Amino acid sequence: MKYGLIVFYSYQHGLMTEKILKKNSIPVEFVPTPRSITNSCSHSLKFGIEYTKVIKDILQRINIPYKGIYEVEKTYSGYEVINIL
């Protein structure tokens, strides 16, 4: 299954973003950041790929720093980055 993942520099940035995205009716979920992606923050926000454009627009508007937005797929051996969004 493929989905989007926003990786933040800090847990607090993730919490603020989660609150704002949920206010905008975008379903997101806090998940552990896969070590195969980065070691920067222990948690990331998982979202449906179809929300990528809207989420990028909101992140730019609210000016919360993030490390990256990735399209990932769960595999048997962990997670695979398919694309950097």
Side-chain angles (χ1 to χ4, degrees):
M1 176 174 203
K2 296 179 186 177
Y3 57 88
L5 199 66
I6 309 168
V7 179
F8 295 93
Y9 290 104
S10 77
Y11 185 73
Q12 285 71 25
H13 290 142
L15 285 175
M16 289 188 296
T17 303
E18 177 190 38
K19 184 177 179 181
I20 291 165
L21 293 177
K22 284 186 174 182
K23 272 187 170 180
N24 284 279
S25 301
I26 298 172
V28 293
E29 175 186 352
F30 253 113
V31 296
T33 301
R35 295 289 172 227
S36 59
I37 295 176
T38 185
N39 289 324
S40 67
C41 183
S42 61
H43 288 82
S44 299
L45 285 178
K46 177 180 171 182
F47 63 92
I49 293 295
E50 65 273 15
Y51 294 102
T52 301
K53 170 102 174 82
V54 169
I55 288 173
K56 284 178 133 180
D57 290 344
I58 291 171
L59 286 172
Q60 184 176 18
R61 188 182 40 173
I62 61 176
N63 201 28
I64 291 179
Y66 59 93
K67 184 163 186 161
I69 301 176
Y70 304 89
E71 179 180 359
V72 299
E73 183 172 27
K74 177 96 168 111
T75 63
Y76 291 111
S77 60
Y79 292 87
E80 178 183 343
V81 176
I82 296 174
N83 196 8
I84 297 174
L85 306 171

